[in-house]
């Protein structure tokens, strides 16, 4: 497992840390003394585990960026105030490459040598489900964006930072039916893994419940970049629209471009993991025109502009919407740590988190939910923004509140 600080663009991975830096980071304790402040100041390490490189890099860099922005803010006001001490927050990032084995290696490193008790990420369901037995046993808190229905079941220390297909699919399908009445026949395309299987199942049910016909449903491999044969099968079913589901944004752009090259004139929706800049980059602005998806923030808002400016201090790629929920989640975590009065007792921090809602987030009020579906109210509920690509830019065309 390569240790990375996730500096640099999503598609030009940063150089590995030097041997000196790796040894220094490994040797550092999770809580190390510092002198010279009014309160005794120490360092609290917060882990980031995400897909920093590859097609899903915009998501992993979003986790890292959101965490670093929140850490910058809390450090600027003197650090976390806990038990008569001020803790400077340090972010420690690892790349799981969207692979379960790499995630296991990374979480063992975070819990072991790094001494981390709180982790933001991962994204992939395979990664999350692989590390879940470890983190639950060790009482390590995870703030994940993984969409599998199994994520929150039988868990005490996992919180999901944003809505999944389970929460928003009925609303997005209803919007599509009302606002795009020409769409009657839909084909779906999803990744061939736990995330894709679960999300496609929910999408298909939502489309069917909304009165739209699913005429084809296919899966692809995460590293795939040639979709012509697969698209030949999809297009033979004569869909009016193709649902791109949880396909990583750069990959989704390739699908859009190759479908257009094969003569597809219909629409595209991507109700999951939307990123305008990356989709346009690989599809081309003309091909991406009219693609509709959902974002977890409004690119035209003052809050987005503020986060974008702060994000640019850490990464050079265009900011994606994953920054928003992970920024808010880091702030929630910091609030709970201070309220619980501990940086080591996970159960007290969990209890403080559960009492923290409603919480004012970057895009509005955040609340906890999910018990009916998952058995525990560890699912953050907040608004999502329906967004259409127009002339290469994301244009918000609606807002859906999830309660």
């Amino acid at each position: 497992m390569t240790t990375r600080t996730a500096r640099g663009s999503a598609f030009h991975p940063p150089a590995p840390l030097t041997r000196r830096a790796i040894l220094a980071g490994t040797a550092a304790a999770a809580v190390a003394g510092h002198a010279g402040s009014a309160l005794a100041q120490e360092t609290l390490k917060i882990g980031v585990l995400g897909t920093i490189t590859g097609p899903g890099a915009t998501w992993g860099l979003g986790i890292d960026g959101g965490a670093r922005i929140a850490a910058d803010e809390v450090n600027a006001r003197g650090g976390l105030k806990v038990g008569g001490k001020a803790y400077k927050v340090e972010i420690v990032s690892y790349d799981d490459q969207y692979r379960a084995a790499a995630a296991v290696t990374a979480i063992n490193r975070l819990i072991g040598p790094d001494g981390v008790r709180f982790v933001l990420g991962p994204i992939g369901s395979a990664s999350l489900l692989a590390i879940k037995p470890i983190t639950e046993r060790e009482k390590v808190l995870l703030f994940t964006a993984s969409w599998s229905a199994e994520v929150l079941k039988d868990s005490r220390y996992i919180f999901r930072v944003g809505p999944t297909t389970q929460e928003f699919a009925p609303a997005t399908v209803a919007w599509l039916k009302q606002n795009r009445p020409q769409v009657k026949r839909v084909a779906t395309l999803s990744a061939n893994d736990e995330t894709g299987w679960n999300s496609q199942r929910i999408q298909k049910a939502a489309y069917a419940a909304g009165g739209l016909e699913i005429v084809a449903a296919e899966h692809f491999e995460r590293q795939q970049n040639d979709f012509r044969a697969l698209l030949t099968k999809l297009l033979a079913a004569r869909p009016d629209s193709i649902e791109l589901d949880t396909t990583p944004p750069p990959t989704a752009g390739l699908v859009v471009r190759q479908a257009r090259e094969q003569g597809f004139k219909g629409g595209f929706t991507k109700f999951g993991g939307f990123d305008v800049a990356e989709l346009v980059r690989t599809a081309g602005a003309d091909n991406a025109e009219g693609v509709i998806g959902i974002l977890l923030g409004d690119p035209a808002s003052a809050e987005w502009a503020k986060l974008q400016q702060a994000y640019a201090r850490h990464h050079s790629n265009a900011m994606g919407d994953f920054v928003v929920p992970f920024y808010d989640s880091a702030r929630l975590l910091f609030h709970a740590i201070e309220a619980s009065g501990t940086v080591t007792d996970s159960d007290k921090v969990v209890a403080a988190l559960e009492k923290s809602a409603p919480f004012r987030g970057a895009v509005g009020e955040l609340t906890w939910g999910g018990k009916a579906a998952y058995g525990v109210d560890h699912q953050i509920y907040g608004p999502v923004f329906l967004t259409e690509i127009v002339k290469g830019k994301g244009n918000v065309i609606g807002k859906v509140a999830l309660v």
Side-chain angles (χ1 to χ4, degrees):
M1 177 67 193
T2 300
T3 306
R4 297 183 187 274
T5 58
R7 308 283 183 179
S9 70
F11 301 98
H12 295 85
L17 295 178
T18 64
R19 175 176 173 80
R20 176 179 296 178
I22 292 173
L23 291 174
T26 304
V31 179
H34 290 273
S37 60
L39 293 175
Q41 190 177 60
E42 302 185 357
T43 298
L44 176 67
K45 290 185 177 181
I46 302 295
V48 165
L49 177 56
T51 307
I52 305 298
T53 56
T58 185
W59 296 334
L61 290 170
I63 299 176
D64 184 81
R68 291 183 186 278
I69 295 168
D72 288 346
E73 290 180 355
V74 78
N75 288 337
R77 64 175 173 82
L80 292 174
K81 308 303 190 297
V82 186
K85 297 178 181 178
Y87 288 86
K88 179 182 178 181
V89 176
E90 178 184 340
I91 303 300
V92 181
S93 296
Y94 287 89
D95 183 2
D96 74 351
Q97 304 163 36
Y98 230 115
R99 297 175 183 173
V104 171
T105 300
I107 201 67
N108 283 324
R109 178 68 179 270
L110 284 166
I111 294 173
D114 293 324
V116 166
R117 306 297 301 164
F118 312 104
V119 177
L120 278 70
I123 303 165
S125 294
S127 291
L128 186 285
L129 295 177
I131 68 174
K132 180 178 177 180
I134 301 171
T135 56
E136 288 291 304
R137 183 185 68 237
E138 299 297 328
K139 298 185 177 184
V140 171
L141 271 67
L142 293 179
F143 294 80
T144 183
S146 169
W147 278 16
S148 170
E150 301 302 314
V151 167
L152 296 180
K153 290 181 179 179
D154 301 317
S155 71
R156 168 67 175 157
Y157 303 100
I158 301 176
F159 294 82
R160 184 148 50 203
V161 307
T164 73
T165 324
Q166 181 81 35
E167 285 71 49
F168 61 69
T172 52
V173 171
W175 182 92
L176 184 69
K177 185 177 181 180
Q178 180 178 351
N179 294 276
R180 298 293 187 271
Q182 71 275 20
V183 175
K184 307 290 186 183
R185 298 162 58 84
V186 178
T188 66
L189 179 64
S190 308
N192 188 26
D193 57 23
E194 176 68 27
T195 300
W197 306 330
N198 178 72
S199 187
Q200 187 179 90
R201 174 181 58 79
I202 296 170
Q203 292 273 26
K204 289 168 68 176
Y207 275 104
L212 301 177
E213 182 183 1
I214 298 295
V215 295
E218 296 289 342
H219 292 90
F220 66 93
E221 302 305 323
R222 286 281 178 188
Q223 302 305 314
Q224 190 171 338
N225 54 31
D226 186 344
F227 300 92
R228 288 172 294 184
L230 187 152
L231 282 167
T232 297
K233 294 174 63 178
L234 281 183
L235 299 184
R238 296 181 293 108
D240 300 316
S241 182
I242 297 175
E243 169 60 61
L244 297 168
D245 199 23
T246 58
T247 306
T251 306
L254 290 176
V255 173
V256 170
R257 176 163 59 81
Q258 291 173 23
R260 295 297 188 215
E261 289 170 352
Q262 289 185 235
F264 180 61
K265 303 295 184 183
F268 289 94
T269 55
K270 189 173 182 349
F271 295 141
F274 201 46
D275 186 286
V276 173
E278 291 302 325
L279 198 152
V280 168
R281 185 182 66 84
T282 50
D286 289 343
N287 291 329
E289 186 76 7
V291 176
I292 298 170
I294 58 167
L295 292 175
L296 301 177
D298 180 355
S301 68
E303 292 81 3
W304 183 284
K306 175 185 173 182
L307 290 173
Q308 191 172 43
Q309 184 178 18
Y311 181 82
R313 292 196 289 267
H314 297 287
H315 300 297
S316 60
N317 67 303
M319 187 186 89
D321 67 328
F322 264 45
V323 171
V324 178
F326 280 98
Y327 166 72
D328 281 339
S329 298
R331 292 172 60 233
L332 267 168
L333 172 61
F334 298 157
H335 171 79
I337 289 172
E338 290 188 322
S340 66
T342 178
V343 297
T344 57
D345 190 326
S346 301
D347 290 299
K348 287 185 178 180
V349 177
V350 166
L353 278 166
E354 292 171 339
K355 295 176 183 177
S356 62
F359 186 85
R360 181 68 184 177
V363 294
E365 186 173 271
L366 306 178
T367 60
W368 294 118
K371 190 167 186 178
Y374 311 114
V376 63
D377 283 330
H378 282 192
Q379 167 78 55
I380 290 180
Y381 281 63
V384 297
F385 299 83
L386 286 156
T387 305
E388 182 178 15
I389 296 178
V390 178
K391 296 181 179 179
K393 303 294 183 181
N395 179 38
V396 173
I397 54 178
K399 182 178 178 181
V400 178
L402 305 175
V403 295

